[in-house]
Amino acid sequence: NAPIRDLAAHLDVRWHRRIGRLTRTGDGWTCHGDDVEATPFDGVIVAVPAEQVVPLVEAHRPDWAGQARATP
């Protein structure tokens, strides 16, 4: 964890947030969830178990959602 935090030190990274939905607009990605400000980001890293990926990415990347569904 420490090397990742060091690499991300110069970025606006929000750690330990529960995201229920992602939306994309011309301004970037917006994360929606508990205790999350509706701030647009240039990119989003989805690092969750496969069964949690589907509702986050299905509207934007149905192929990724399909891969997540196929993961045992």
Side-chain angles (χ1 to χ4, degrees), residues 10-39:
H10 69 284
L11 301 171
D12 181 14
V13 176
R14 312 294 169 89
W15 303 95
H16 307 288
R17 300 292 189 267
R18 184 178 180 98
I19 304 302
R21 184 171 55 97
L22 296 171
T23 56
R24 185 171 182 140
T25 65
D27 294 330
W29 293 93
T30 301
C31 301
H32 304 271
D34 300 336
D35 300 322
V36 178
E37 295 177 30
T39 304

